[in-house]
Amino acid sequence: MSSTLVEHEAAAKAPRPVTTGTPSPRRSRRLSWGRITPYLLILPAIVFELLVHVVPMVVGVWMSFIQLTQFYITNWLSAPFVGFGNFQIALDFQNPLGAQLARSFGVTLAFTILTVGSSWLFGMAASIVLQRSFRGRGFLRTLFLIPYAIPAYAGIITWKFIFQRDTGLLNELLVDNLHLTDTAPFWLIGDNAFWSLVIVSVWQQWPFAFLMTMAGMQGIPEELYEAAAIDGASVWQQMRHITLGLMRPINSVLLLLLFLWTFREFNTPFVLFGARPADSANLLVVNIYQSSFIQWNFGLGAAMSVLLMLFLILVAALWAVWNRKVRRDA
Amino acid sequence: MKIRILTAGAAVLALTVGLAGCAQSGESPAPTDASKPYAGTTIKYWATNQGPSLDADVEILQPELDKFEEQTGITVDLEVIPWSDMTNNTLAAAVSGQGPDVVNIGNTNATTLNTTGAFLPFEGEDLDAVGGKDKFLESAWQTTGPEGVAPTSLPLYSQVYGLFYNKALFEAKNLEAPTTWEELVDAAKAITDPATDTWGIVAPAGTVNVAMHIQYIFTAQAGGSPFDKAGEPDFVTDENIAGVRQYLDLMSEAKVMNPSNAQFTDGTQATSEFAAGKAGMYMAQTGNVAALQANGMDPSQYGVVPVPAPAGGDEVGSFIAGTNISVFKNTKHKEAALEFVKFMTSPEVSETLNKAYGTLPPLKDVPASAYEDFPELMDMWSLILADHAIPMSQVPTVSAYQANVGGGVVALFAEAATGATPTDADIEAMLNEAQQKMATS
């Protein structure tokens, strides 16, 4: 060991001098620069974070209180202040716009529960199956991740072709090959549009659930399963008490993330159905888009967005409370 | 420590210089040739997609823009925008001030966009700089906005709706081109044969703007209008209900339209179905000739007549449609932009571009040379424009009318396609709901 290192270790072990009173001016100046420099370095990031996220959000909240229509679009400051007027329109369920918002909230909730539930279920099932080593496991893992790697737009457009009534692959299979029905069903309009939306969204999202759960399962020691098997635990008991038990923190975060992402899904319905989806597939964010960019009532659209944000904050808060309770009980 | 401070300082400096550089990029260099006072200036032009594809539009426009650069020294940075993105892009540019200098827009939205205050009004010296009002046809000028208000867009390509019919399918059934709506429905029934996937008529029934266009025309045939004399929405009338009914019945009552048309969310699918001989008739605009050609259908294979009205109805076959050109008010290159608008609305360029797009020149004494090889088509489009076309309502909420009534008609088509039979009460409820939504626009 070199003498320098010995001196350094001795200095580290030595008791720190007790500071009494004001430090010397020289030491204070050197310390303050040392403290400021990291903040200076992250300053650009903070500025851009404010510009990209915080300022638009504040502006969005402000927009929700003004009557921002096409007449004021180039001079927002002249738009009349309407207080909670936009919120009243959005929440007046006797009014067609309010009724449409309520309907789309229900559709979005059902869509989210189905999509998140199915994605998680498929992801977990695939992770469990692929935990054990076998020939072709690597190929299957890669195959399952393909939907996640394909650009969203390309994937959705492909599904749009598949769902075409006259020329789509799905109807060719159902009607021409399997003869399950005489008349070709519609998949992009009417009630079936909802199921098309769910199928495409699950196809897009389940690889992420698979990735997360697979990573989580890698951390579960094999010995736990071996010990449980020796103790006579069935496969179901092993899965319930070991796999699901140890995966709970990961699943908890995963389900919250999937819920938040799915609830504000826009790309899939917009690419699949255009700006005017069937009522059965009219998700909340598409509805907000219609109010803002088709009705050209940006104030009303902003009010709807604020309501959506408040709902998602509420969900996240409930999740946090529930999560803390579970940890306390454990 | 000094290195850290220097690094932080350099980062801030680099950011400042970068932002300053951005701010200066819009400046024009000083002119060097007195005959080309704006030489060296670059203006940005957003052009809506008029041709069969975005690439085709670039091929058509670029030679003209090169000529403009040769004449004036002004470079035009062209970007062709799909119709579906145009409104949002234009609004974003209006809000941010970071858009193009010149843009072209659907004239249906001209009055709505006029009210945003984002565009330069063509009046006084600015109108003189582009050649004045008198060079435009009166019918085309009516699309620029309400009377007495300085327009913020000038006519570029004029269009009207016509009824295209497939000559071979008509001859096979020994049919004549229809002159009344009843004859149209009878001819459509004669042609329709679902077993061979042949239908009387095809329409982009899932397309909101076309639904609004057709509803407007059919309501006018019934003697009504979606707006009252004060420009307020007046949707819940017998005439408006009749307008929706007439269009919807092609699928729900006469069953001469393939239900699959309800999922055609743009015109391209309907055009290709008609060009492929799967439908006997197609209500479409003048410029569709270029798209039909691109789909392999020669003008000799089809005829065009005015969209017929029901017996006893008003002989309205179209509204005056088309594309207008505007200059953003906040442009830093106003003179160069006006020079460009003057060039684009000059007789030579108008004839060239309208020929390429199959549209009608909106200028006096400029022939519709797209149809020079088919004089009967040229005469027909001229006849429709002169005798069968009315202006679109010049009210600020016309875009909201398009969204609400057009969207409602699309939803009713979806119901009809999936097995329901929308009643007059359903149509009335849709129009009532659309009118209530207008209250917030």
Side-chain angles (χ1 to χ4, degrees), chain B residues 277-336:
Chain B
K278 289 184 176 179
M281 288 172 277
Y282 179 30
M283 291 178 285
Q285 295 189 30
T286 329
N288 213 55
V289 63
L292 287 172
Q293 193 100 37
N295 277 279
M297 193 178 203
D298 190 82
S300 64
Q301 294 173 278
Y302 57 79
V304 175
V305 290
V307 173
D314 290 353
E315 294 290 329
V316 177
S318 181
F319 68 96
I320 302 164
T323 303
N324 289 3
I325 190 165
S326 292
V327 173
F328 269 95
K329 197 190 261 179
N330 62 5
T331 176
K332 289 175 184 158
H333 313 292
K334 182 179 141 186
E335 288 75 16

Side-chain angles (χ1 to χ4, degrees), chain B residues 50-72:
Chain B
Q50 305 285 331
S53 68
L54 303 185
D55 290 341
D57 269 42
V58 174
E59 279 176 31
I60 290 166
L61 287 170
Q62 197 57 54
E64 300 307 308
L65 304 185
D66 292 343
K67 274 186 218 163
F68 177 66
E69 186 172 359
E70 202 175 303
Q71 285 174 22
T72 63

Side-chain angles (χ1 to χ4, degrees), chain A residues 231-270:
Chain A
D231 288 345
S234 65
V235 173
W236 168 242
Q237 283 172 321
Q238 288 177 36
M239 190 182 297
R240 189 179 160 201
H241 296 291
I242 301 175
T243 310
L244 289 177
L246 292 176
M247 286 287 290
R248 187 152 59 192
I250 289 170
N251 279 334
S252 169
V253 175
L254 174 64
L255 287 172
L256 178 72
L257 270 180
L258 287 178
F259 187 93
L260 297 180
W261 289 347
T262 310
F263 205 87
R264 54 184 181 78
E265 176 65 44
F266 178 78
N267 287 346
T268 309
F270 193 76

Side-chain angles (χ1 to χ4, degrees), chain A residues 33-34 37 40 48 70-71 73-74 76 89 96-97 100 160 164-166 186 189 276 289 293-298, chain B residues 4 87-88 91 94-95 112-113 115-116 118 258-260 262-263 396 403-404 407 411 417 433 436-437 440-441:
Chain A
W33 273 116
T37 306
L40 275 178
F48 281 108
Q70 75 213 46
F71 301 101
I73 196 70
T74 52
W76 295 17
I89 294 171
L97 288 166
Q100 192 172 303
K160 188 172 181 171
Q164 288 292 327
R165 182 186 184 230
D166 291 342
F186 280 97
I189 57 174
R276 176 80 197 198
Y289 171 84
F293 294 99
I294 294 182
Q295 297 279 350
W296 292 22
N297 191 334
F298 301 92
Chain B
R4 279 195 222 168
T87 308
N88 285 352
L91 278 177
V95 174
T112 305
L113 288 170
T115 58
T116 64
N258 186 345
S260 297
Q263 59 183 32
N404 293 319
E433 188 177 316
Q436 287 186 58
K437 286 181 180 175
T440 64
S441 298

Side-chain angles (χ1 to χ4, degrees), chain B residues 39 45 48 57 75-76 123-124 138 158 181 183-184 204 212-213 229 277 299 310 322 324 330 339 341 389 395:
Chain B
Y45 176 43
T48 44
D57 269 42
T75 307
V76 179
E123 57 186 343
E138 183 55 33
S158 286
W181 188 254
E183 286 177 18
L184 181 150
M212 168 272 218
H213 295 165
K229 285 180 182 165
N324 289 3
N330 62 5
E339 189 91 12
V341 172
V395 296

Side-chain angles (χ1 to χ4, degrees), chain B residues 293-380:
Chain B
Q293 193 100 37
N295 277 279
M297 193 178 203
D298 190 82
S300 64
Q301 294 173 278
Y302 57 79
V304 175
V305 290
V307 173
D314 290 353
E315 294 290 329
V316 177
S318 181
F319 68 96
I320 302 164
T323 303
N324 289 3
I325 190 165
S326 292
V327 173
F328 269 95
K329 197 190 261 179
N330 62 5
T331 176
K332 289 175 184 158
H333 313 292
K334 182 179 141 186
E335 288 75 16
L338 290 173
E339 189 91 12
F340 180 60
V341 172
K342 184 182 180 184
F343 173 82
M344 290 293 281
T345 54
S346 65
E348 299 76 22
V349 177
S350 184
E351 186 176 354
T352 305
L353 292 180
N354 279 287
K355 181 177 182 179
Y357 289 131
T359 47
L360 305 171
L363 304 175
K364 289 174 183 164
D365 305 322
V366 177
S369 48
Y371 307 101
E372 58 195 1
D373 296 335
F374 300 93
E376 72 279 8
L377 279 180
M378 187 160 75
D379 291 346
M380 181 51 70

